[in-house]
Structure formats: structure tokens, C-alpha cells
Amino acid sequence: MTETRPAATASPRTAPASTGPAAPAASASASDTAERPGTGAAPPRTRGAGPSRRAGGSGLRLLWCLPPLLVLTVIFLYPLALVVVEGFRGGTGTYREVFASQAFTDALVTTVALAVGATVGCVVLGFVLALVVAFVPFPGSRGVARFVDVFLSFPSFLITLALLFVYGTVGMANGLWTGVTGAEEGPFRFLTTPWGVLLAEITYFTPFVMRPLLAAFAQVETGQIEAASSLGARPARIVRRVILPEAWPALMAGGSLVLVLCLNEFAIVLFTGAKDVVTLPMLVYSKAILSSDYTAACCVATVNVVLSVGLYALYRYVTGRAGRTGGTGRSSRRAGALA
């Protein structure tokens, strides 16, 4: 029995020792395989097959790109080219005539003024509402955030129609006024003015600013806000030094999107019944449908497209610079917020 004990204890000790000679054998086998003449010819084959594979891959990628390019050309580029060609059918004289008209000047000024005013209103109102939804705890805050997502799917004329039911000439507000005072007409007639169009655009486009802001506020670290508050910073300073720098790219994205959409908005102006409010889309509609002057309508439409593309290019340039400078200046802003 004394002889079996060492045998039992020697088995676990000899297991690691058995792996010692295996390592040189493995290395020897690896060196043998490296010296084989068959393995030395493999790298030239892969290098020789590389250009053909790359050529085949590029041809396959080009083949996959053709269907979407064809659809884009037929649906978008070809009709846009027809509009531009129709605008130049009368030569540059048609453009000079359109640009010199008072109707075009008034429509351009009205379009830019309404778009800028609506953008400012949406940015301010959307920022305040997003702050409340994201950082002020109240029952139903998640439901409000989800309603913002649903609101984005609503058509613009539906919001305008709802405002007509409330503030129209025969709407609820005027009906309540005439029922209480006994007057023949109510005082609420601003919906058919530029102020009514501005109210409708701010009401409809504010969620387009809130949605990216809510996504940006979700990335803000609450520890920074708590640290700034514990150091005595007031809510206004916390918003200015901690929250706003993080939300600035999202605020710019939402504001620029609203600006482009307001420049091309047609349904809100049409459904409010504001006959004295003529924007560039309304001018295109009146010249093409009411006057059958398709050449002038295409000229105005081309100007509207150029404005939209120019604003989009400016937006990409500004957001690109903000993205490059945001990473370097973010740490200093955070340090200043907690100082």
C-alpha cells in the first residue's frame, strides 16, 4: 500500500511535465510546415488574385447602385430638370421679368419673414418644453414624450383645421364671445393674417425641434447637474453652462430643419384662408393653376429650390464646424459650469 500512494500522487504531477516536450515538437512542426515548398507559393497567388477580386467587387457594387440611381433619376432628377428647362424656355428674360415684378418681391419677403419668425418661435418654445419634459418630473412625462413622436406623423393641414375650429370666424372662441356678449361677430379674426399663419406654423413645427432635443437631453449626465446645483449654481446657469452646450447641435439641427420646411410650406397658408399672405409656394400655385403661366411658375419654383438647397448646405457647414469644435470645447465648458 505504501507503493501505490506515490503512484496516485504522481499522476497529477506528471501531467504538467508531459506538456514540456510537446512545445518543441509543435514549434518544430510549425517550422517544418513553413519550410515546405507548397506553402511558399501561396502568398504570390493571393497577391495575383487581388486586383481581379477588387475589380469584381467594384463591378458588383456598381451593379447594386444602378437601381436606386435609376429610381432617383426618374422620380426626382428628371422632373426637377423639366422645371428648370421650362423656366429657361423664354430665355433669361423670363427670370428678369419675374424678379422685377412686385408680386415676386412681396412673396419672397413674406416667405423669409414667416420662415425666420416661425423658426425662432419653434426653437424657443421647443427648447423650453423639452427642458420641462426631460428634467422636470411630473406624472405623464413619458406619455408626452411619446405623443411628440406621434405628432410628427400628423399632416400640417390637420393642425390648421383644428385652429380653424377654435379661432376661425365661426369657431369656438368667436361663438363663445357672441353667446356671452350678444354681439353679431367675434373679435378673433387673426387667423387669416400673417400672425395666424405664424401661429399655425409654430404649433405644427415645434415638435420637430423637441424630438432631437429630447434625444440630446437623454445623453446629459445627471451627475453634472447635481454637482453644479450642490455648488450653488442657479437653474438658469445650469441650463446655460451645462445643458445648452450639450444640446446645441440638436438645437441647430431642429431649427435648420424647421427653417427649410417653413420656406416650402404650402398647406398651412392655404388652409388658413389668408388671402393677403402670398408666399413663394402660393405664388407658384397661383401662376401655374390660376393663371396657367407655367414658365413663370417654374422660375419661382427654381428660386425656391435654390433657397432650400443653399440653406441645407449652410446647415451642413455650420453643424460640421460645431462637431469639430464641440469635442475640444466641451471639457472646458463643463469645468466652467462646475466652477
Side-chain angles (χ1 to χ4, degrees):
M1 294 180 65
T2 57
E3 293 178 357
T4 57
R5 288 176 183 176
T9 57
S11 59
R13 294 178 182 177
T14 56
S18 64
T19 59
S27 62
S29 62
S31 62
D32 292 341
T33 54
E35 293 177 356
R36 291 177 184 176
T39 58
R45 291 178 184 176
T46 56
R47 288 195 297 267
S52 61
R53 291 179 181 178
R54 288 194 296 268
S58 61
L60 185 61
R61 288 194 296 268
L62 181 60
L63 184 63
W64 278 105
C65 290
L66 286 178
L69 288 177
L70 182 61
V71 173
L72 182 64
T73 302
V74 173
I75 295 179
F76 178 73
L77 295 179
Y78 180 68
L80 183 61
L82 288 180
V83 171
V84 176
V85 170
E86 182 67 24
F88 281 100
R89 174 166 294 185
T92 58
T94 305
Y95 277 94
R96 289 195 297 267
E97 182 181 353
V98 170
F99 293 162
S101 63
Q102 187 64 33
F104 175 80
T105 304
D106 295 341
L108 181 61
V109 172
T110 302
T111 302
V112 174
L114 285 176
V116 172
T119 302
V120 172
C122 290
V123 166
V124 174
L125 183 60
F127 184 74
V128 173
L129 292 179
L131 277 177
V132 173
V133 173
F135 297 107
V136 179
F138 64 93
S141 59
R142 292 185 179 180
V144 173
R146 293 177 181 176
F147 177 74
V148 171
D149 297 335
V150 177
F151 191 88
L152 296 177
S153 63
F154 290 171
S156 57
F157 71 86
L158 182 62
I159 306 302
T160 309
L161 188 63
L163 291 177
L164 283 174
F165 278 117
V166 178
Y167 298 109
T169 55
V170 292
M172 296 172 56
N174 285 324
L176 182 63
W177 179 271
T178 55
V180 172
T181 62
E184 296 181 358
E185 297 179 353
F188 301 101
R189 295 183 175 274
F190 66 92
L191 202 59
T192 57
T193 64
W195 295 105
V197 177
L198 191 64
L199 174 63
E201 290 185 349
I202 292 175
T203 304
Y204 178 70
F205 289 115
T206 295
F208 287 84
V209 178
M210 292 181 61
R211 182 63 267 172
L213 282 177
L214 290 175
F217 289 160
Q219 304 298 324
V220 177
E221 298 179 2
T222 57
Q224 298 179 5
I225 300 176
E226 294 174 356
S229 178
S230 63
L231 291 175
R234 295 183 178 181
R237 186 175 182 180
I238 295 175
V239 171
R240 186 177 69 253
R241 301 298 297 273
V242 178
I243 299 177
L244 185 59
E246 297 290 338
W248 184 251
L251 192 65
M252 292 178 59
S256 60
L257 177 63
V258 170
L259 182 60
V260 174
L261 292 176
C262 288
L263 282 175
N264 302 314
E265 182 56 40
F266 173 75
I268 289 179
V269 183
L270 182 65
F271 271 78
T272 53
K275 298 180 180 179
D276 296 333
V277 180
V278 180
T279 59
L280 289 179
M282 288 296 298
L283 186 61
V284 173
Y285 172 79
S286 63
K287 287 187 175 297
I289 304 302
L290 303 180
S291 303
S292 298
D293 190 358
Y294 295 103
T295 303
C298 290
C299 292
V300 179
T302 303
V303 173
N304 204 356
V305 170
V306 170
L307 283 176
S308 301
V309 174
L311 284 175
Y312 178 74
L314 180 62
Y315 154 71
R316 292 299 300 268
Y317 174 75
V318 173
T319 52
R321 288 182 60 89
R324 289 193 296 269
T325 59
T328 57
R330 189 170 298 168
S331 59
S332 61
R333 287 194 297 265
R334 290 178 179 176
L338 301 177

